[in-house]
Amino acid sequence: MAPPGGKRMKGVQIFRPFIYGTTARPFNDTDNPKPPGVPADHTHSWQVFVKGIEDTDIFYWLRRVQFKLHESIPNHLRTLDADAIIRESNAAAAAANNNSSNSKKPATAAQQQQQHPRAFVVNETGWGEFEITIKLYYDSRSGEKPQTLYHHLRLHPYGRTEAEKEAMRSGGEVVAWTYEEQLFNEPFEDFYHVLTTGAHDKGTKPPPTPTTGGGKGKGGGKGGSSSKPTPQQQQASADGSGGGGDVKERSAMIPQSNKPGQPFSRDTEALEIKRLREAGDKVHDMVRQMNKAIKDKEAELAQLKAENAVPANPTAAAKNNSANAGAGAGASSSGSGSGKAAATAPTPAPKTTTTAV
C-alpha cells in the first residue's frame, strides 16, 4: 500500500453513511422459484451486502470488502474489489444498450446506476442462520487499517412484537439491515481532498476533480485544473448539509424521508429518538415505583422491629423475673452454710514418723 500523502488535518473529523446487512426470501413457485442445481434442503435465497445510503457510490473511500460465510458453503471466503465491480457494471450497461431496440431510448445514467448499483454484494442460498464476518478495506490514501463488522444472517421473520413479525411475513422478505457511519479522524490531506470534493447529483457525471497542487505547469503556474469547488460544494461533501432534499453522490447527506427499499432517513432517526425517549420515560417511571415500594417495605420492617422489641404479655414477664430472683437468693444461702461447716470442722493431728536405726 502506498504511503498516504500530506499531513493529517488536525481537529478534523469526516463521516460517511453506509448500510450493511442481509435480505432473505423463501423459495416458492410464484415469485421466487428455486433455481436449477440448488440443493433440495435449501429453503431460502439471500444476499449480504455493503452499500451506500440510497445506493450512492462508496467506492471512492471503500475499495474492497471481504465476506466470511459459514465454512459449509463452498468458497466461504469471498473478497470483492471495487475495480472489478466497476468493470463488470460497465460491461453489463454496455451490453444492455447494445441489445436495446432503436425505438427505445437508451438508459440514462440514473437508470444504469439503479440497475447496476455500486455496492459489494454476495448472493447465496441456504437453510440455516449464522454469523457473517465483514472486513472493510479503505482507499490507500486514507492510511486506515481494515475494520471488521459482524452481522447475523436472518432467514425467518423477527421483531420486537408479533405485528412486526407479521409485517415481515406479509412482505415476503426478511430484511436485516444496519445503518452505520464511517468516521475518519484527522484524515491525511490527500484523502481529505478526495472526501471533500466532487459532490454532485445522482445520475450525473462528477465535476472535474481539482488537483491539490505540488507540480508546476507551463508558465510557472501550479499544475492541474484551475477550477476549485465552491464552499457550498465542499460543505455538502464534508457533512451533507448542502441544499436540496435529494442525496448527492460523494457526500454525507442523509435523505429526509423514507422511500421504498430505503428505510433510513431523518424521519427514521426522529422516530428512533422518540422511541428512545419514551423508553427512557418508562424506565424512570419504573425506577420511581420501585423506590416507593422499597421505602414502603423499609417502613414496614421498622414497624415490625419496634413491635417485637416490646413484650407481648407483661404479667408473664413479671412472674419470670420474680422466679429468677428467688432462685438467686436460695443459691446464696446454700453457699453460706457450706462455708460455716467447713470452718467448724476439727483439724486433724499431725502424724509422727519413727525411723529405726
Side-chain angles (χ1 to χ4, degrees):
M1 183 178 69
K7 300 178 181 179
R8 285 193 176 273
M9 306 291 292
K10 297 297 183 181
V12 175
Q13 184 184 76
I14 296 180
F15 78 94
R16 283 295 176 268
F18 69 99
I19 304 170
Y20 69 93
T22 55
T23 304
R25 299 179 62 194
F27 286 127
N28 54 61
D29 296 332
T30 56
D31 58 348
N32 190 30
K34 183 180 294 187
V38 174
D41 58 346
H42 285 198
T43 58
H44 291 73
S45 63
W46 56 268
Q47 68 172 209
V48 57
F49 63 85
V50 176
K51 65 180 182 179
I53 193 82
E54 284 200 350
D55 297 320
T56 52
D57 183 19
I58 59 175
F59 288 174
Y60 66 100
W61 61 268
L62 186 63
R63 301 302 299 172
R64 187 180 302 110
V65 174
Q66 184 183 78
F67 299 95
K68 185 178 181 181
L69 311 179
H70 195 271
E71 294 181 354
S72 62
I73 298 176
N75 187 22
H76 69 281
L77 201 61
R78 311 285 179 89
T79 302
L80 304 181
D81 188 79
D83 292 333
I85 296 174
I86 292 174
R87 288 194 298 268
E88 293 177 2
S89 177
N90 292 338
N97 288 334
N98 292 334
N99 294 333
S100 61
S101 61
N102 295 330
S103 60
K104 184 179 179 181
K105 294 182 179 180
T108 63
Q111 292 172 339
Q112 291 180 6
Q113 185 183 30
Q114 186 176 6
Q115 295 172 359
H116 309 284
R118 293 191 172 186
F120 301 92
V121 183
V122 169
N123 292 286
E124 267 295 343
T125 63
W127 56 268
E129 299 180 349
F130 56 90
E131 187 178 66
I132 301 174
T133 303
I134 305 173
K135 198 168 186 179
L136 308 179
Y137 295 85
Y138 306 102
D139 189 284
S140 60
R141 290 167 290 186
S142 69
E144 300 288 344
K145 296 180 180 179
Q147 300 293 327
T148 303
L149 303 173
Y150 300 93
H151 182 78
H152 188 78
L153 170 63
R154 297 275 191 175
L155 298 183
H156 308 287
Y158 67 98
R160 288 168 288 191
T161 62
E162 288 298 327
E164 292 180 357
K165 295 180 182 179
E166 185 59 32
M168 197 169 289
R169 291 190 190 97
S170 60
E173 289 184 341
V174 178
V175 177
W177 295 6
T178 301
Y179 171 89
E180 188 61 88
E181 291 180 353
Q182 176 63 52
L183 299 179
F184 296 104
N185 291 311
E186 298 185 347
F188 287 96
E189 290 178 343
D190 286 358
F191 190 58
Y192 174 82
H193 180 74
V194 171
L195 294 174
T196 56
T197 56
H200 59 282
D201 294 331
K202 294 175 63 176
T204 63
K205 293 183 178 181
T209 303
T211 61
T212 57
K216 290 187 177 182
K218 295 181 179 180
K222 291 185 177 180
S225 173
S226 60
S227 62
K228 293 183 178 180
T230 64
Q232 292 80 6
Q233 288 175 327
Q234 278 197 326
Q235 191 72 6
S237 296
D239 58 13
S241 60
D246 294 334
V247 174
K248 293 182 179 296
E249 293 283 359
R250 300 175 71 94
S251 74
M253 297 179 67
I254 300 173
Q256 184 62 40
S257 57
N258 294 348
K259 298 178 182 179
Q262 304 294 342
F264 300 106
S265 65
R266 296 293 184 187
D267 292 344
T268 307
E269 182 183 33
L271 184 62
E272 188 66 20
I273 292 174
K274 179 182 177 182
R275 186 182 293 114
L276 291 174
R277 287 177 178 172
E278 292 176 350
D281 294 340
K282 185 177 180 180
V283 169
H284 291 321
D285 186 58
M286 293 172 63
V287 170
R288 285 193 294 268
Q289 293 179 4
M290 186 175 295
N291 289 336
K292 183 178 181 301
I294 291 174
K295 290 181 179 179
D296 293 342
K297 293 294 183 182
E298 289 177 347
E300 183 179 356
L301 178 61
Q303 183 179 359
L304 291 174
K305 287 182 177 180
E307 292 176 355
N308 291 333
V310 178
N313 191 347
T315 305
K319 290 181 179 180
N320 290 335
N321 291 336
S322 300
N324 292 335
S332 299
S333 300
S334 175
S336 300
S338 300
K340 187 176 181 181
T344 57
T347 302
K351 293 182 179 181
T352 303
T353 303
T354 303
T355 304
V357 179

